[in-house]
Amino acid sequence: MSGKHFDVLIVGSGAAGCVVADYLSEHTDKSIAVLEAGPLDRNPMIHIPAGYSKLLAKDKAVWPYETVVVNGQRRRFRMGKVVGGGTSVNAMCYVRGQKQDFDAWQEAVGEEGDWSWETMRATYIEQERNDTFHNEYHGIDGPLSVELPGRINELNQRCMKAFQEFGLSYNPDYNGQSQAGVSPVQSNTDNGKRASAAVAYLHPRVDSGRVTLLTSRTVTKILIDNRKAVGVCVLHGTQEERIYADLVILSAGAVQSPKILMHSGIGPRAQLESFGIPVIEDLAGVGENLHDHPIIPIAAFVKGKMGYQAAAQGLGMLVSGVRYLTAKDGPAAGNGIETVSYWDPDDLQSEEPTVQCYHEPIISQDGLNPSGSRSGVTFATVVLQPRSRGTVKLADADPTSMPLIDPNFIGDPYDLKVGIAAVKSVRKVMEQRSLADVIEEEFVPGAKVQTDEELGAFVKQVATTMWHPVGTCKMGRKDDPTAVVDASLKVRGIEALHVIDASIMPRIISGNTNAPTQALARHASKMLVARYFS
Ligand SMILES: Cc1cc2nc3c(=O)[nH]c(=O)nc-3n(C[C@H](O)[C@H](O)[C@H](O)COP(=O)(O)OP(=O)(O)OC[C@H]3O[C@@H](n4cnc5c(N)ncnc54)[C@H](O)[C@@H]3O)c2cc1C
């Protein structure tokens, strides 16, 4: 074999890849390389917290994925393609999910592993450096900064009060004992800068020389010899290279990890054979079980200049920029998402919310950037436990082709029911005093949409990605024919190959997926050390 060799190769420098690199570099003396398809995270818009909407709007640092036609339209499905992966372009909201999410993971592996809430809660605490909370739910010694907003703008203050008038409790900490209620958002920022996984975990290890980071390297397939991973094929520009390793970790995310497996001959036999890819391991679950949180926006114009409509455009943006550069302060120093609500529309007192709703103090055509001059609020509601399942499939045998992504948004009647109920709840919230005093008119879906049938059609038309794809290489018990990895996240039937990223979640977490992905990566890294290096 000629080519570079490392003890451990990690494919992808996103939420999971950075955590694995950090943990293995601290707890072993092995040589470690991280291969990343995207560039270094040098773009200043990555590090200014409010910059992500500009990056996404201009398709910078992202894979330009689209879905297949879902409910009549293709939808943008961008994912981070840069050092830090999703954590360099995401909205930084820090959410852990509910205990029952991890009960479901534990049920998926049964006696074969420990993915219990107690274990995962301890893992979250180890990773966290919280600026406010320090108790049985929060840590202050970890590498990952978690902050409350420095200030909550008036429109969001009104949203918080209106949700309480509607019947929710004020909950200072949705990552504490209960998720339910209306709360300030906790974010991965650090004194006015984005706290990406690359900043928190990877760069210190690369800077110290402990980890080799190779950027602009697209892994096209895993090299497998006698049912054991021995390295990867890489495209570097137009050049092909092979890099060898004793252990290969796929952390390429929920779209690319199953894609790479399939190009390597690991996946559903019929699909691989249809493209002439020799089958090494027939694993039916690769690329199946894709699910994501569907966003359903409800938007209304408000009186005056409340919120960030003006601050994020034109002269307002310039002023925000100057304030940020001089004092690391103002709207650009935060993600612009300051408050959130969690509830169950069927039972407002439930401790197991089924809906999450960020209160975004802007009106936007693309869901990110303010559009137009009228101020307003957009309630970004999501179904926390969608039951729809979709797929990631190969388009052809060419590893550089875009995959076929079918998230099947609102494909299950439960998702439609919760989506409609969420819109009705938000309309009631907007009728409460603290918002009614300032709302001028509902803009989306608009007054014409009233019956359940009309609301259902609206939900299907608008529901799109919250950028939380998971589940396409799910973990499960030996007797689960759809499991791709076992409880230690080793690929079934292949030695020295693990998948560690959001794709292994058997069921999505009730909340944003960055923090759970980092926690699962740390937990899996401990198992790697115990299995291979102790
Ligand atoms: C726009 C956006 C907003 C989001 N907002 C939030 C939020 O506010 N809060 C939250 O908790 N979560 C959020 N998320 C989700 C969160 O960022 C992801 O769940 C998380 O990053 C997933 O981690 P991962 O390690 O599985 O994959 P990623 O972080 O996507 O990392 C995968 C990495 O692998 C690289 N890669 C892929 N294929 C290859 C290949 N063939 N060769 C080499 N490298 C490859 C990618 O370029 C990428 O860097 C958001 C995501 C996006 C995109």
Side-chain angles (χ1 to χ4, degrees), residues 47-52 92 147-153 189 191-194 307-308 310-312 316-338 361:
H47 302 285
I48 300 171
Y52 68 98
M92 293 156 275
E147 295 183 332
L148 283 174
R151 185 184 163 272
I152 293 178
N153 72 85
T189 51
N191 277 317
K193 285 186 161 181
R194 171 189 290 275
Y308 292 146
M317 195 166 83
L318 202 67
V319 173
S320 306
V322 171
R323 188 166 163 196
Y324 177 79
L325 289 175
T326 49
K328 287 276 178 312
D329 190 14
N335 55 6
I337 308 175
E338 292 164 4

Side-chain angles (χ1 to χ4, degrees), residues 11-17 35-38 56 63 65 78-87 89-95 217-220 251-254 256 260 466-469 500-503 512-517:
V11 180
S13 68
L35 302 175
E36 169 56 50
L56 289 165
W63 296 85
Y65 299 135
R78 308 307 200 230
M79 297 293 140
K81 184 181 182 184
V82 62
V83 169
T87 74
V89 299
N90 72 15
M92 293 156 275
C93 302
Y94 179 81
V95 187
R217 302 310 204 278
T218 303
V219 170
T220 52
S251 298
Q256 285 275 342
I260 295 169
M466 178 81 163
W467 305 286
H468 294 168
I500 303 181
D501 61 25
S503 71
N512 306 53
T513 44
N514 172 26
T517 304

Side-chain angles (χ1 to χ4, degrees), residues 468-486:
H468 294 168
V470 304
T472 47
C473 299
K474 78 167 190 179
M475 73 172 159
R477 287 188 305 266
K478 288 191 188 92
D479 62 1
D480 176 354
T482 64
V484 175
V485 293
D486 65 17

Side-chain angles (χ1 to χ4, degrees), residues 16 27 88 193 206 222 282 326 425 465:
H27 293 89
S88 287
K193 285 186 161 181
V206 174
I222 314 288
D282 177 15
T326 49
S425 293
T465 181

